[in-house]
Amino acid sequence: MDKFLITGGVKLEGEVRISGAKNAALPLLAAMILADSPITLNNVPNLKDVNTLVKLIAGLGITMDYEGETVKADTSTLSNQFAPYELVKTMRASILVLGPLLARYGNAQVSLPGGCAIGSRPVDQHLKALEALGAHIEVENGYVHATVDGRLKGADITFDMVTVGGTENILMAAVLAEGTTTIRNAAREPEITDLAQMLIEMGAKIEGLDTDTLVVTGVESLHGCEYSVVADRIETGSYLAAAAITGGRVKTTHTDPSLLESVLDKFEEMGAEVTRGEDWIELDMMGKRPKAVSFRTLPHPEFPTDMQAQLMAVNVIGRGFATISETIFENRFMHVPELSRMGANIQVEGNDAIVTGVEKLQAAPVMATDLRASFSLVLAALVAEGDTLIDRIYHIDRGYENIEAKLQSLGAKIKRVS
Ligand code: UD1
């Protein structure tokens, strides 16, 4: 099993090109199922999760041509509507094929994603909303069997909580439903706007982009188009965090500052100089030790849960103390015991973590537990005294393209070892 060996103590300096967003690429790939003519997606990051979904969609009989940063799909060869447990269990986002399959073919069998390290993460909201659109849903032997006679019917849907995947699944179902669907309490993450924009290019009628109410007027069919995945705001924030924790200066390019204002505000509060360009962001920590900053994770446009672990890592060596409240997932502090092994001072009380900054961290063998948590361990290792060995980095490969090459280009001493 691959591991990272990181020697701490280097101030990161330089420029890093940000990839397309994993969390946008996945729903966009699922949306390709809706196109009745060939469709092309560009700026697709080369990641394990992307490969899993491409494989799952190819398993439906759809012709998938994946080369470099481009995926081309031709749905005319579709032969089944079945998403097997073997693929779905490795990635929860596989459930995103449910809405498009049902809307276009009136039938889908998709395995339930099952548990996940960062919480129970049910899909009840997805299923309830599809039923409201007229789907008949049965859950049997771990599979969701969804059918509809004729087309789905537009409906007024209010989610009980803000759900990113739920909003995406229902949006992809509603675009082909008969009549108007209103999705209330919709998630407003930039990846949802990206999905809505591609659907519009395909011929869908959607209003309310970037708001919590999406109004969809169903159309009979959608055509192919050529579309490019939005920049990864979480990858952007992660590399800026690497500059902040090491006291360095990093410029992220091919990104968009408007996607992560809440995170940039926190970096400024830490004492960093943040410069925003049209498609780049530079963070200069000027060799200083950051100030610890408190924050609470909430749906977009507030502070994203996917940046919580990385900002916690920066706080760990910060001046003073900070409280971090995690309100999206019930079990998303698994990086805390690992950071503590490196000398961090963190107290967890329910959904709050109180971090008291320490001046130095020491290298230790640690284990990645989930995708974003693994980046927090990389951050800690970049400043720890000595060589840190991070185990189970397959988690990191799910979401960070070319991570060691990108970090090396900024001066980091990082090696993949097996
Ligand atoms: C997406 C992101 C993930 C991010 C999360 C929150 C992708 C591929 N993943 O995950 O990186 O951390 O948004 O920003 O885009 N919930 C229910 N029932 C449901 C659906 C959700 O109870 O039917 C709960 C979840 O357990 C969780 C909360 O709602 O506590 C938010 O989940 P959701 O927004 O759906 O997250 P994902 O779409 O899975």
Side-chain angles (χ1 to χ4, degrees), residues 22-24 26-27 49 91-93 96 118-127 159 161-168 187 189 191 233-234 298-300 304-306 327-330 332 371-372:
K22 169 183 88 76
N23 286 358
L26 298 176
D49 276 8
M91 187 184 64
R92 178 183 155 82
L96 291 175
I118 61 171
S120 59
R121 302 178 88 178
V123 291
D124 57 306
Q125 298 296 308
H126 303 229
L127 303 187
F159 283 118
M161 81 263 301
V162 179
T163 156
V164 173
T167 304
E168 290 164 347
E189 270 61 9
E191 294 76 25
R233 64 196 163 101
I234 305 301
L298 282 167
H300 192 77
T305 174
D306 285 353
T327 78
I328 307 291
F329 293 111
E330 74 267 27
R332 210 175 193 180
L371 170 55
R372 306 303 167 184

Side-chain angles (χ1 to χ4, degrees), residues 3-7 387-390 413-417:
K3 301 177 178 63
F4 277 146
L5 183 65
I6 300 176
T7 308
D387 294 343
T388 298
L389 193 63
I390 308 179
K413 291 187 185 150
I414 175 170
K415 264 202 312 211
R416 189 178 286 255
V417 295

Side-chain angles (χ1 to χ4, degrees), residues 3 28 44 65 74 96 101 142 151 195 204 215 253 267 289 338 384 395 406 408 414 417:
K3 301 177 178 63
L28 292 173
V44 179
D65 174 9
D74 180 352
L96 291 175
L101 280 177
R151 285 171 71 188
L195 171 64
V215 182
T253 68
F267 284 131
R289 186 174 162 204
E338 302 302 312
H395 286 293
K406 287 188 182 187
Q408 280 160 1
I414 175 170
V417 295

Side-chain angles (χ1 to χ4, degrees), residues 119-393:
S120 59
R121 302 178 88 178
V123 291
D124 57 306
Q125 298 296 308
H126 303 229
L127 303 187
K128 210 166 99 177
L130 288 174
E131 276 176 334
L133 292 177
H136 178 66
I137 304 233
E138 270 175 39
V139 179
E140 227 180 63
N141 305 117
Y143 277 83
V144 179
H145 299 257
T147 52
V148 61
D149 289 333
R151 285 171 71 188
L152 292 167
K153 304 263 179 314
D156 202 311
I157 291 159
T158 305
F159 283 118
D160 296 337
M161 81 263 301
V162 179
T163 156
V164 173
T167 304
E168 290 164 347
N169 229 339
I170 301 323
L171 185 59
M172 289 188 279
V175 284
L176 286 185
E178 214 177 314
T180 303
T181 300
T182 305
I183 309 174
R184 299 180 202 278
N185 200 22
R188 289 190 274 166
E189 270 61 9
E191 294 76 25
I192 289 174
T193 303
D194 206 38
L195 171 64
Q197 270 161 350
M198 183 170 97
L199 291 169
I200 290 169
E201 297 260 319
M202 294 165 72
K205 296 195 175 125
I206 307 167
E207 279 167 41
L209 269 61
D210 284 324
T211 76
D212 64 0
T213 307
L214 294 167
V215 182
V216 185
T217 309
V219 294
E220 276 186 29
S221 64
L222 293 172
H223 50 76
C225 68
E226 183 158 357
Y227 195 78
S228 193
V229 180
V230 70
D232 197 318
R233 64 196 163 101
I234 305 301
E235 191 196 22
T236 306
S238 301
Y239 284 101
L240 295 177
I245 199 167
T246 61
R249 180 162 56 91
V250 169
K251 182 175 181 180
T252 52
T253 68
H254 298 79
T255 186
D256 179 350
S258 71
L259 305 176
L260 70 161
E261 271 306 329
S262 60
V263 176
L264 300 182
D265 287 352
K266 286 292 152 192
F267 284 131
E268 283 174 334
E269 206 180 313
M270 285 178 163
E273 197 176 284
V274 179
T275 316
R276 300 152 171 84
E278 200 178 316
D279 64 351
W280 56 268
I281 308 165
E282 184 175 272
L283 186 146
D284 190 354
M285 202 65 219
M286 299 163 291
K288 287 188 299 190
R289 186 174 162 204
K291 175 181 168 294
V293 295
S294 298
F295 61 91
R296 169 183 292 267
T297 65
L298 282 167
H300 192 77
E302 302 299 333
F303 193 93
T305 174
D306 285 353
M307 278 301 298
Q308 181 253 105
Q310 300 90 316
L311 265 265
M312 182 185 291
V314 184
N315 273 333
V316 155
I317 56 111
R319 283 177 284 118
F321 68 93
T323 305
I324 297 172
S325 306
E326 172 58 59
T327 78
I328 307 291
F329 293 111
E330 74 267 27
N331 185 22
R332 210 175 193 180
F333 285 143
M334 284 177 305
H335 39 288
V336 169
E338 302 302 312
L339 290 171
S340 302
R341 287 169 54 73
M342 300 176 74
N345 180 354
I346 308 167
Q347 252 77 52
V348 174
E349 284 167 23
N351 289 333
D352 293 339
I354 297 132
V355 184
T356 307
V358 295
E359 269 186 50
K360 286 198 166 85
L361 292 176
Q362 295 86 41
V366 289
M367 197 174 73
T369 50
D370 70 67
L371 170 55
R372 306 303 167 184
S374 10
F375 204 96
S376 75
L377 302 180
V378 169
L379 291 172
L382 287 173
V383 289
E385 287 176 332
D387 294 343
T388 298
L389 193 63
I390 308 179
D391 202 352
R392 301 204 178 169
I393 56 163

